[in-house]
Amino acid sequence: MTELRELLGRIENLSYLYNRLDELNPMCPIGEQLLNLGEDLFQAQFEDGTVVDVGFYPWSSDGAFKVSVIKDGNWDEPVKQYECKELKELYTRLGVTLVEVSTCLKKKDID
């Protein structure tokens, strides 16, 4: 998680809306952390309004983290969406997604 925090500090034009990922313990099985999981785990917004969102669905030990990229407020059709079962995989995927979105926005090429 430290690497993700450092990355978040380096990405330009990014605002946190919330970050509850710090409440999760990567050393503890997901099934033992269900009380800390839900739809609203992380959300950040770029200055053009593009949102990167993380939630856990469904709320059970069989669930998975979903990283979604939302453009123009269209939550029904994310531009990209990834699924991760483990926290370490989630942190990596979230970091990669944030860098990809930032790079695309600099090039004005997100879709």
Side-chain angles (χ1 to χ4, degrees):
M1 187 63 182
T2 302
E3 296 94 12
L4 180 60
R5 261 189 248 123
E6 290 173 5
L7 174 66
L8 291 170
R10 291 192 311 263
I11 295 178
E12 297 175 19
N13 304 316
L14 180 70
S15 314
Y16 283 94
L17 299 177
Y18 53 85
N19 180 3
R20 293 187 48 226
L21 294 175
D22 287 336
E23 298 172 19
L24 302 176
N25 180 349
M27 306 308 285
C28 187
I30 294 302
E32 294 178 16
Q33 301 187 75
L34 288 177
L35 292 177
N36 291 330
L37 299 174
E39 292 182 5
D40 301 325
L41 294 176
F42 176 91
Q43 195 172 93
Q45 184 171 351
F46 288 87
E47 71 178 9
D48 79 326
T50 299
V51 172
V52 176
D53 181 79
V54 175
F56 189 83
Y57 309 90
W59 192 62
S60 76
S61 57
D62 294 328
F65 297 99
K66 288 191 181 175
V67 178
S68 303
V69 178
I70 308 300
K71 182 125 175 87
D72 299 326
N74 187 354
W75 288 85
D76 293 329
E77 296 179 28
V79 174
K80 295 193 184 268
Q81 193 165 58
Y82 306 96
E83 194 169 290
C84 308
K85 285 290 211 177
E86 301 294 328
L87 275 172
K88 185 173 180 168
E89 178 187 9
L90 169 65
Y91 296 150
T92 300
R93 172 45 47 201
L94 179 57
V96 168
T97 301
L98 289 165
V99 169
E100 286 175 349
V101 172
S102 177
T103 301
C104 288
L105 290 175
K106 287 178 184 174
K107 295 178 183 177
K108 307 274 188 227
D109 185 33
I110 186 166
D111 53 50

